[in-house]
Every structure is written in C-alpha cells, then in structure tokens.
C-alpha cells in the first residue's frame, strides 16, 4: 500500500515539474507589439470672418499725407518711342563702261572650248572632208545653228584654201574675223532709254519663268543708275508670290522707287500706274517687269499683249527686252518666236552665259529674231549684267 502511495506522489511531482517547464517556455516567446496609438490631428485654423484681424497689428511709425512727397505734375513723363527702321544703304553700282572686258575671264572659262576646238582642227596639216565635218559638228554643238554653221564653214574652206600655209596667228585672226561677221558689229546694241521728245523712257521686260527675268530687271536698274539715270520699277508680275518683293529689294539697293499692286491683281493696271508715277516723279526711265508667260498658254500671252497696249496709252514703248536662258540652247528659240509674235521684241538679254551655255546661241538667236543681243548675264553677282560687246565676246571665245 505504501508503495502505491509513493508512486502516486512521484507521478504528481513529475507532472507538476513538466507543467512548470511548459509555462516558462511560453513566457520566453516575444509577444506582438501593441497597435500604434492614433496620431494627433491638428484641426485647420478656422476661416476668418468679417471683422477678424488677419494678424496681430504691428506697431510701426506712420506718416501723415503732408509728410509724403507727391509728384507736382510739372515733370514730363518719358514715353519710349518705338524704334524707327533704318533705311537700306544706297549702293553705288560698278560703271558699265568696259564691264564685259572685266568679266572676260569668267566668260572665257566656259566658252573658249568652241574657239580652241576650231583652232585645233584648223591647225591640222591636211584639212580633208572628215576634218571639215568635225568643224561643223563643233559649231552645231555650240548652238550656232545650221544655217550660220554652213555659211561659216564655206567661208573658212575658201579662205584657208587661198591662204595655203597657216601659222597659228593667221588662223586666229581668220577665225576671229569670221566669227565677228556672224555675231555682227554694225547693230545698235544700246538700250533705248532716252526718247528725244518726252520723259521717261519706257522699257518692258518679258520672258518665260525661270530665265532670271525679275533679277535681270533689277540688275538693269543698276546698269541705268550706274550711267546716271533715275529709275522707277513697275512690278507687273503679280502672279508670282515673291516677284514684287524681289524687285522692290533690287530697287531699294540703288534708290529706285517700285510701284506694285495686290497679289494676283491686274498686271496691266500696275504697268499703267508705274508709267504714270514715273511721269509725275520726273524720272528718266520706267522698267516694267512682266509675268513669266508660258508660251504654250494662249490666254496669258494675250494678256501680255494687253499690258503692252495699256502702257502705250501713256507713250510708245522704247524697248521690249526678251530675257532668254542661254543654257536652254536651241529650245530657247521656240520661246523667242512666240514672244516675237505677241510683242515687238527690240533686244535680247542672254542670262547664265557663264555656265554650261554655248556661245553660239548669241549668233543663232540674233539670226532667228533679227534683233541684236544687247545685254548678257555672266554670273549671280549684282553687277554681272554687262552690255554686249561683240569684239570682247569673240576674243573670249577663241581665248588668248
């Protein structure tokens, strides 16, 4: 019996010890942190009501109205004037006398292939039929034209046969003489701007778009100013957006006044007003830039004739200058024919003769229209428009 009681006591003691161990291990585990306390929220300040002070007034010294300096009204108020745009500086163009001679080097760089080619062929010891055919090809390639080429070759064959032995100097002189005969030295190449019975002289400039017509008109104004003339420009090319602005810029450079009208307006009206303005101002010359009529557009060509008729209500035209792009070669002759049917062309201006143009176009266009080349353009510079001088031109063709 005692043994049983002892076993029970031991069991109770063991269970008690185990229970204490379990409770101790649970106490050693970390408990989760308590939830954070709710933050203190500061309520926004109440909106001020009528009569409330925005802030506590500060003690500052105050002045009475007698102590404050007020303007007495006698001092002028400075008003800033808007800037006045400066007038463009008036340029002094180069004199026209000898201008082509000064530009000869530029012309000869692209043109003397014709002269050198002919001199080389003519210098051969035996000039057979094949050589003469090469000479013909050289002239035709230079845009001289079929009929002038035939005439030149026939004369050269005859004179070389008579000459016999040919030195380089003799050949050069022979070729120069024959080319001068084709170009012509007797024609009056002066631009008519000084009628005897009235003032101003009236010049109309015509041509196809892209030939440099408006630029040529502006450069011609510089030529006239360089010769001591006063000029009014008429911007009758109302169909090209920038034509009037471009012409006016050219005029401002040399002090020439430009008459212009609304875009897409009546060109004849602008031309009429330009001549009227020129009369009232007492200038020497009126230059009228017309629209670049496409020669295939019959209606536009008729309108060009209208411009001419309207201008002649003031006075007869002294010059009608046709501007041709020399690089178009024989194709330019088609344009020239049509323009000659609409208006009486009195002179030709060949532009871009310093580029890929062939010098023979001078001979061909004169032969086609029966009117002289009066001016040639030899570059993009403002003073690169030169009066045509046959001797200087031929000398540039055959070189030194």
């Amino acid at each position: 019996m005692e043994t049983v009681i002892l076993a029970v006591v031991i069991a109770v003691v063991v269970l008690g010890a185990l229970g204490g161990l379990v409770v101790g291990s649970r106490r050693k585990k970390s408990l989760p942190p308590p939830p954070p306390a709710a933050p203190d929220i500061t309520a926004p300040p109440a909106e001020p009501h009528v009569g409330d002070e925005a802030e506590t007034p500060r003690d500052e010294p105050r002045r009475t109205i007698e102590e404050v300096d007020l303007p007495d009204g006698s001092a002028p108020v400075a008003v800033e004037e808007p800037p006045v745009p400066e007038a463009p500086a008036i340029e002094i163009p180069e004199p026209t006398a000898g201008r082509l001679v000064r530009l000869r080097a530029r012309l000869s760089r692209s043109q003397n292939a014709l002269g050198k080619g002919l001199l080389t062929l003519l210098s051969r010891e035996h000039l057979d039929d094949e050589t003469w055919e090469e000479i013909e090809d050289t002239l035709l390639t230079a845009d001289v034209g079929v009929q002038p080429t035939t005439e030149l070759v026939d004369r050269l064959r005859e004179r070389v046969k008579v000459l016999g032995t040919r030195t380089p100097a003799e050949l050069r002189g022979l070729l120069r003489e024959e080319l001068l005969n084709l170009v012509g030295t007797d024609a009056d190449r002066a631009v008519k701007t000084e009628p005897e019975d009235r003032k101003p002289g009236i010049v109309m400039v015509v041509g196809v778009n892209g030939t440099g017509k408006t630029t040529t008109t502006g450069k011609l104004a510089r030529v006239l100013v360089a010769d001591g003339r006063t000029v009014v420009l008429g911007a009758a090319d109302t169909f090209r957006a920038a034509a009037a602005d471009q012409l006016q810029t050219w005029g401002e450079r040399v002090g020439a006044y430009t008459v212009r009208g609304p875009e897409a307006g009546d060109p004849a009206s602008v031309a009429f007003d330009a001549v009227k303005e020129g009369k009232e101002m007492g200038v020497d010359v009126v230059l009228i830039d017309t629209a670049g009529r496409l020669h295939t557009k019959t209606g536009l060509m008729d309108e060009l004739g209208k411009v001419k008729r309207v201008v002649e209500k003031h006075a007869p035209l002294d010059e009608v200058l046709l501007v041709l792009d020399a690089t178009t070669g024989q194709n330019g002759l088609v344009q020239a024919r049509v323009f000659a049917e609409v208006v009486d062309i009195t002179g030709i201006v060949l532009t871009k003769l310093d580029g890929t143009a062939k010098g023979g176009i001078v001979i061909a266009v004169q032969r086609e229209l029966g009117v002289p080349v009066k001016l040639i353009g030899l570059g993009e510079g403002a003073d690169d428009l030169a009066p045509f001088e046959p001797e200087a031109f031929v000398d540039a063709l055959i070189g030194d």
Side-chain angles (χ1 to χ4, degrees):
M1 188 64 180
E2 291 178 358
T3 304
V4 174
I5 293 172
L6 182 59
V8 171
V9 172
I10 292 172
V12 170
V13 171
V14 170
L15 289 174
L18 290 174
L21 291 173
V22 171
V23 172
S25 64
R26 286 181 178 178
R27 286 178 179 175
K28 290 179 182 179
K29 290 182 180 181
S30 60
L31 297 176
D40 296 333
I41 298 176
T42 305
E47 295 183 0
H49 298 284
V50 178
D52 291 348
E53 291 286 347
E55 61 180 9
T56 304
R58 290 173 287 183
D59 293 332
E60 294 181 351
R62 298 174 182 266
R63 293 185 295 171
T64 65
I65 191 169
E66 289 81 6
E67 298 173 333
V68 177
D69 294 330
L70 298 176
D72 57 2
S74 59
V77 179
V79 179
E80 202 170 314
E81 294 286 340
V84 178
E86 294 184 4
I90 303 299
E91 300 177 7
I92 301 176
E94 291 184 8
T96 58
R99 187 180 285 188
L100 183 57
V101 175
R102 295 194 298 274
L103 298 173
R104 177 180 165 182
R106 184 178 303 169
L107 177 64
S108 62
R109 279 198 297 268
S110 59
Q111 303 301 320
N112 61 15
L114 167 62
K116 286 185 176 179
L118 291 176
L119 285 174
T120 301
L121 292 171
L122 291 171
S123 299
R124 290 181 181 177
E125 186 175 353
H126 299 289
L127 296 178
D128 53 14
D129 290 341
E130 183 178 347
T131 301
W132 286 111
E133 287 180 3
E134 290 184 46
I135 293 174
E136 285 187 355
D137 291 341
T138 301
L139 291 168
L140 291 173
T141 303
D143 290 328
V144 173
V146 176
Q147 185 176 350
T149 294
T150 303
E151 295 176 7
L152 179 58
V153 170
D154 288 344
R155 287 201 298 267
L156 285 174
R157 292 187 75 157
E158 182 179 351
R159 296 191 63 178
V160 167
K161 184 178 180 180
V162 173
L163 187 62
T165 304
R166 306 172 303 278
T167 65
E170 289 173 333
L171 283 176
R172 185 180 300 277
L174 174 64
L175 184 58
R176 183 180 189 276
E177 184 179 341
E178 293 300 333
L179 286 174
L180 274 176
N181 286 335
L182 279 182
V183 173
T185 57
D186 299 331
D188 183 5
R189 301 182 185 276
V191 179
K192 301 293 188 298
T193 57
E194 294 181 291
E196 296 179 358
D197 56 342
R198 58 182 168 79
K199 203 175 182 181
I202 307 172
V203 179
M204 186 165 73
V205 184
V206 301
V208 175
N209 278 335
T211 58
K213 181 175 47 55
T214 300
T215 299
T216 297
T217 306
K219 290 183 178 181
L220 178 55
R222 294 180 67 89
V223 169
L224 295 171
V225 170
D227 289 339
R229 316 282 177 78
T230 53
V231 180
V232 162
L233 298 171
D237 185 355
T238 60
F239 294 98
R240 191 163 61 89
D245 293 336
Q246 182 182 358
L247 189 64
Q248 184 170 350
T249 299
W250 278 103
E252 289 174 347
R253 291 178 179 177
V254 291
Y257 178 69
T258 302
V259 176
R260 53 189 297 176
E263 187 176 339
D266 182 16
S269 175
V270 176
F272 184 87
D273 291 341
V275 178
K276 179 181 177 182
E277 192 73 24
K279 281 185 172 183
E280 294 176 354
M281 295 175 65
V283 299
D284 298 316
V285 188
V286 174
L287 295 179
I288 301 172
D289 176 35
T290 59
R293 313 293 178 190
L294 294 175
H295 63 278
T296 54
K297 304 289 187 180
T298 305
L300 293 178
M301 294 301 292
D302 290 343
E303 188 168 327
L304 181 59
K306 176 188 172 184
V307 172
K308 180 178 182 292
R309 291 191 301 272
V310 168
V311 169
E312 288 180 333
K313 291 181 179 180
H314 281 295
L317 283 168
D318 298 290
E319 286 276 7
V320 179
L321 298 177
L322 173 62
V323 180
L324 291 176
D325 183 343
T327 61
T328 61
Q330 296 293 315
N331 291 333
L333 299 183
V334 178
Q335 303 169 3
R337 293 188 198 104
V338 179
F339 277 97
E341 293 173 1
V342 179
V343 290
D344 297 325
I345 304 298
T346 60
I348 302 161
V349 183
L350 282 175
T351 63
K352 307 177 187 178
L353 202 56
D354 62 321
T356 59
K358 311 299 191 300
I361 191 63
V362 172
I363 300 169
V365 72
Q366 289 186 146
R367 183 68 63 92
E368 179 68 31
L369 296 183
V371 295
V373 172
K374 295 191 172 184
L375 298 162
I376 57 175
L378 296 171
E380 299 298 328
D383 293 318
D384 289 345
L385 185 71
F388 183 73
E389 301 169 19
E391 292 83 1
F393 179 74
V394 170
D395 288 341
L397 286 182
I398 62 177
D400 297 326

